[in-house]
Amino acid sequence: MDDPRAPHPALRVPVPEDGAGSGPWSTVRWTPDGVPILMADPEAYLAAVGDDAVRPLDAVSFEGLTYLARYLPTALEPGAALRIAVRDALAWHAPLGGALGVEFGCSVGADLGSLRAVCDAVIGVDGSVVGARAARALCAGEGVPRLVRVEGRSFASAAPVVQAPLDGVTVVVGNALDPPVHAGCADVVMAVNLLDTVSEPVNLLGQLDAVLRAGGLMLLASPFSWQDGVTAPEEQLGGGTVPALAALGSAEAVLAILRGETPLLPHLAYEILETIEDVPWSLRDHARCAFHYSSWLVAARKHTS
């Protein structure tokens, strides 16, 4: 894995109220294990996450432990349907000789290896400092302690999660709605199960497009499990609350937006290469509770003109 403390040419240091600006790399805050905090207000972010930025991963907050218990198993399941669908879509549709792939919402990095297989270098971006720290450790070939949630605040120890090291991968903490990545630098941009977890999904699509170069591949997956407390009804892509999308479900809305067929992001012009319906995806909350979703996946190529 590349030295994260060296300035990466594709990364920018977000500047408050300037989505295109970049501050000096020397001002970047870091976790002790080497993950840069590329937020427009890193001090506020670090104050919000508290000791989760510095504690060992098996001693973070209850929320952090729950996050790891829920998402670390995804790194142990390369044969899961969603992992296979992402891997196959990248293998079929990624442009040959791709220099850079960027995944927004990479979590613990379950798909970073698949992205690295089709790109010379990869950047993983996630808003969770716990997730980004786990992804960095896995990509470095380090063991990540695993605690399995039994119930309530009770956890049981399991074998650490260890993977073969991945070179050419950089993991950062960042906001997908204010990407810490320069415009037009990526050959592949992907966001797996991120659209329905942000406050402004249309803005997210616009930001992903801005990072992607002409002719590049955008890969999206989502179960469209909208939650009003996360995404206000007037921002959700399906459900009839957005006038421009009133007659469309979420999947149809994403396709229409990517094609530039709506007043939302009318400048977009993508060729839809493939869509896959109902890809199973599961997350276990604790020993007696699991969440089962059906994700929808689309691979689309950004037009060159």
Side-chain angles (χ1 to χ4, degrees), residues 12-83:
R12 73 179 186 91
V13 181
V15 178
E17 300 181 0
D18 185 355
S22 182
W25 193 256
S26 60
T27 65
V28 172
R29 299 292 303 274
W30 300 79
T31 66
D33 44 7
V35 177
I37 310 297
L38 298 182
M39 293 285 195
D41 190 345
E43 301 301 330
Y45 177 83
L46 287 168
V49 301
D51 289 344
D52 279 0
V54 299
R55 286 181 176 174
L57 287 174
D58 57 356
V60 294
S61 67
F62 169 70
E63 291 76 13
L65 292 176
T66 300
Y67 180 98
L68 290 175
R70 187 174 293 165
Y71 288 102
L72 264 181
T74 66
L76 295 169
E77 300 167 346
L82 183 59
R83 305 280 78 83

Side-chain angles (χ1 to χ4, degrees), residues 124-237:
V125 181
D126 202 85
S128 164
V129 70
V130 171
R133 291 179 62 202
R136 184 217 62 81
L138 290 175
C139 290
E142 300 171 5
V144 176
R146 184 181 174 200
L147 296 177
V148 178
R149 188 177 174 208
V150 180
E151 60 181 354
R153 293 176 178 261
S154 173
F155 293 85
S157 295
V161 181
V162 184
Q163 293 185 334
L166 279 174
D167 64 350
V169 177
T170 301
V171 180
V172 307
V173 172
N175 180 1
L177 300 181
D178 185 12
V181 184
H182 288 294
C185 70
D187 298 278
V188 179
V189 168
M190 66 186 221
V192 177
N193 297 339
L194 181 65
L195 265 176
D196 58 355
T197 70
V198 299
S199 59
E200 300 173 339
V202 173
N203 183 14
L204 175 63
L205 291 174
Q207 298 296 343
L208 299 179
D209 172 73
V211 169
L212 188 63
R213 69 164 179 82
L217 174 71
M218 184 183 294
L219 182 64
L220 304 172
S222 179
F224 303 119
S225 182
W226 304 107
Q227 303 294 322
D228 290 358
V230 175
T231 311
E234 60 270 21
E235 297 285 349
Q236 297 172 15
L237 299 182

Side-chain angles (χ1 to χ4, degrees), residues 81-105:
L82 183 59
R83 305 280 78 83
I84 293 172
V86 169
R87 187 164 62 243
D88 288 351
L90 288 170
W92 278 102
H93 302 299
L96 294 177
L100 179 66
V102 180
E103 181 178 11
F104 291 98

